[in-house]
Amino acid sequence: MEEKPSTRKGPGFCSLRFGLALIMHFSNFTLVTQRVSLSIAVIAMVNGTRQPALSNGSAGEPAADTLENPGRPIQRFNTGTSVYEWTPETQGIIFSSISYGIILTLIPSGYLADIFGAKQILGAGLLTSSLLTLCTPLAADLGVTLLVVIRTLQGVAQGMAWTGQFTIWAKWAPPLERSKLTGIAGSGAAFGSFIILCMGGLISQALGWPFIFYIFGGIGCVCCLLWFTMIYDDPRHHPCISVREKEHIVSSLAQQPTFPRRSVPIKAMARCLPLWAIFTGFFSHFWLCTIIITYLPTYVNSVLRVSIRDSGLLSSLPFVAASSCTILGGQLADFLLSRNLLRLITIRKLFSSLGLLLPSLCAVALPFVASSYVTTVILLILIPGTSNLCDSGFIINTLDVAPRYASFLMGLSRGFGLMAGIISSTATGFLISQDSVSGWRNVFFLSAAVNMFGLVFYLTFGQAEIQDWAKERTLTRL
């Protein structure tokens, strides 16, 4: 039987832990803008997708040079920005390289965050990603190979930054506020997608595409200063926290025992079906989300036939809904739990169901309403919005089943998600290259099928109780 957390109230929205959630919101905002920058910039960077209106003010370079060096700039706009001749296959390699980098560090960074402190690991990742973002235009000008290396290293840095967050929440988030706090922090990712897609096209047209990377890389450096000065791994060590809030956090987490650090129980984890339910949920969720984040500007540009500016604006709208649903979903989940209206596992499965089923229905409907501009935009808005309801479901379920290993397991979970993203991106590129109309239809149908598989598996095996291997003092060794 589930043990109900204490309902004693602590400080509200003016508390330090909510300030930490806002800083983490800003950090996630920064990480996503740096990751998605290329998705909107590539429309102006690549010769095959540039807008005809811009070609009037360009000064061409010899065509022979482009054949000998396809990764080199072939033309310069009046803004002084380079244009490249990259094939769809080359673009796919560049897009996916950051995911390979993230996968390399998700598991070790989570483990290192548990040992050395999430503040240092996450802060170092954020700073490195920001500096590499500033170097991206130069890397693109020097060739595809260097750009792929830069993007892979940026993925390594972002993998460090993403994973360490759950180590912090394991010590800062009272059980009744986990969905709310992680929702506020996580909504920064959706808000970042909205801002970069909304502003990226405008920046590209006004200043040139390199300034997309310069602006958001600079914002990341500013965020690092805020992070290192304001964030602490443990509320007991924060110099500015009130006695009341510290006592509230410590007492609310007291029911979850802590033990000396020993080896990670890999064998017990591998046999744990509730963990596999979480992994399957991540795989399904990231499959469709990666397609939307990576290919939404391309889909809007090809189906709705709009300019780079309007493509960015329309592509940003879905992430307004995503950011709002993340925060509202967290508020609703904690409300249902604090009022004892639903059990914790029921809440996790309810929000997981909404976050996987609703976007699947919207995705399946998209090919049939392609002729309707308004309906297409509405469905594109609803897909990321409803999908982010998963943030109050299986996304934070590792905090329920194994809070001691939350950061390690979050890294492992995101590894499954990123593998899904790599596969779905590759499959999408292959399908739409065969035939645009039937290709997009197959992309959305396949995404819905993957989501339904993940949903059924999670509903069958998902749990919310701390697992035995997460309580034991004597852990299974490799």
Side-chain angles (χ1 to χ4, degrees):
M1 179 177 291
E2 295 178 9
E3 183 179 356
K4 295 184 181 299
S6 172
T7 58
R8 184 168 66 89
K9 298 288 184 180
F13 283 96
C14 294
S15 62
L16 194 61
R17 61 188 181 278
F18 279 95
L20 184 148
L22 292 175
I23 295 175
M24 205 169 291
H25 173 99
F26 187 31
S27 300
N28 289 331
F29 163 88
T30 301
L31 291 170
V32 168
T33 55
Q34 294 171 359
R35 182 179 181 182
V36 182
S37 293
L38 192 62
S39 294
I40 189 66
V42 75
I43 298 177
M45 293 173 69
V46 178
N47 184 53
T49 58
R50 64 184 174 91
Q51 296 301 311
L54 294 175
S55 62
N56 295 332
S58 62
E61 294 181 5
D65 182 63
T66 67
L67 296 176
E68 296 175 2
N69 301 285
R72 298 289 295 174
I74 65 169
Q75 193 172 3
R76 293 190 177 270
F77 293 149
N78 57 352
T79 55
T81 57
S82 303
V83 182
Y84 307 90
E85 191 176 73
W86 294 337
T87 64
E89 290 78 9
T90 300
Q91 295 178 49
I93 293 173
I94 296 172
F95 278 131
S96 62
S97 59
I98 194 170
S99 295
Y100 288 111
I102 295 176
I103 287 178
L104 290 175
T105 54
L106 278 176
I107 297 177
S109 64
Y111 190 68
L112 291 174
D114 287 336
I115 298 176
F116 299 108
K119 173 182 177 178
Q120 304 301 327
I121 298 297
L122 198 156
L126 180 59
L127 178 60
T128 304
S129 177
S130 301
L131 295 176
L132 291 173
T133 300
L134 294 172
C135 297
T136 299
L138 176 61
D141 209 38
L142 294 176
V144 172
T145 302
L146 182 58
L147 180 60
V148 169
V149 171
I150 290 293
R151 293 280 291 179
T152 302
L153 293 176
Q154 189 174 15
V156 171
Q158 292 213 357
M160 295 169 57
W162 282 116
T163 309
Q165 297 183 25
F166 277 73
T167 298
I168 293 179
W169 288 128
K171 296 180 180 179
W172 275 89
L176 292 179
E177 298 176 3
R178 281 176 179 167
S179 297
K180 187 186 304 179
L181 292 171
T182 56
I184 293 173
S187 64
F191 184 59
S193 299
F194 162 72
I195 291 296
I196 185 61
L197 292 174
C198 180
M199 300 299 298
L202 298 176
I203 295 172
S204 180
Q205 282 196 339
L207 302 174
W209 63 261
F211 281 86
I212 298 176
F213 300 97
Y214 297 151
I215 290 173
F216 290 100
I219 291 175
C221 293
V222 174
C223 182
C224 288
L225 295 177
L226 190 63
W227 177 268
F228 283 113
T229 56
M230 298 297 295
I231 298 297
Y232 282 76
D233 290 313
D234 196 310
R236 290 172 294 185
H237 302 150
H238 203 294
C240 300
I241 192 172
S242 67
V243 175
R244 182 189 175 198
E245 182 178 7
K246 184 190 300 184
E247 291 178 350
H248 170 65
I249 295 174
V250 172
S251 63
S252 64
L253 296 175
Q255 63 184 24
Q256 298 180 349
T258 58
F259 304 102
R261 175 159 303 283
R262 300 180 185 179
S263 59
V264 177
I266 298 295
K267 291 183 179 179
M269 290 178 177
R271 294 191 298 264
C272 183
L273 282 177
L275 269 188
W276 283 104
I278 295 174
F279 299 155
T280 306
F282 266 84
F283 187 92
S284 304
H285 176 68
F286 271 68
W287 182 286
L288 181 56
C289 286
T290 302
I291 293 175
I292 293 298
I293 291 176
T294 304
Y295 284 95
L296 185 57
T298 302
Y299 182 79
V300 169
N301 184 264
S302 62
V303 174
L304 301 182
R305 308 290 181 182
V306 296
S307 66
I308 181 175
R309 182 192 63 184
D310 293 337
S311 176
L313 291 173
L314 288 175
S315 299
S316 68
L317 292 178
F319 298 98
V320 178
S323 182
S324 302
C325 285
T326 300
I327 296 176
L328 294 177
Q331 297 280 346
L332 178 58
D334 283 339
F335 172 80
L336 294 173
L337 183 62
S338 63
R339 298 298 180 91
N340 294 325
L341 298 177
L342 295 174
R343 296 190 310 144
L344 180 59
I345 184 57
T346 305
I347 293 173
R348 296 289 181 249
K349 291 186 176 182
L350 171 62
F351 281 88
S352 297
S353 299
L354 294 174
L356 291 175
L357 179 60
L358 295 181
S360 299
L361 296 176
C362 294
V364 168
L366 265 177
F368 300 101
V369 298
S371 59
S372 173
Y373 182 94
V374 175
T375 307
T376 298
V377 171
I378 291 175
L379 290 178
L380 288 174
I381 291 174
L382 289 176
I383 289 176
T386 55
S387 181
N388 273 30
L389 293 174
C390 290
D391 284 14
S392 297
F394 57 79
I395 297 292
I396 62 170
N397 201 187
T398 53
L399 286 173
D400 304 319
V401 300
R404 181 185 178 191
Y405 302 105
S407 187
F408 173 82
L409 292 174
M410 177 52 63
L412 194 59
S413 301
R414 287 191 175 274
F416 278 89
L418 287 166
M419 284 191 291
I422 292 173
I423 297 172
S424 66
S425 295
T426 305
T428 299
F430 173 77
L431 291 172
I432 63 177
S433 67
Q434 305 301 311
D435 179 78
S436 180
V437 177
S438 63
W440 282 115
R441 182 178 64 247
N442 293 334
V443 166
F444 293 131
F445 284 0
L446 179 60
S447 299
V450 172
N451 271 14
M452 289 303 95
F453 173 77
L455 175 58
V456 171
F457 197 92
Y458 184 76
L459 291 178
T460 304
F461 298 108
Q463 294 183 15
E465 300 87 0
I466 298 180
Q467 301 299 296
D468 291 339
W469 48 265
K471 300 177 182 177
E472 295 173 352
R473 290 180 178 274
T474 302
L475 301 176
T476 304
R477 294 185 177 273
L478 290 173

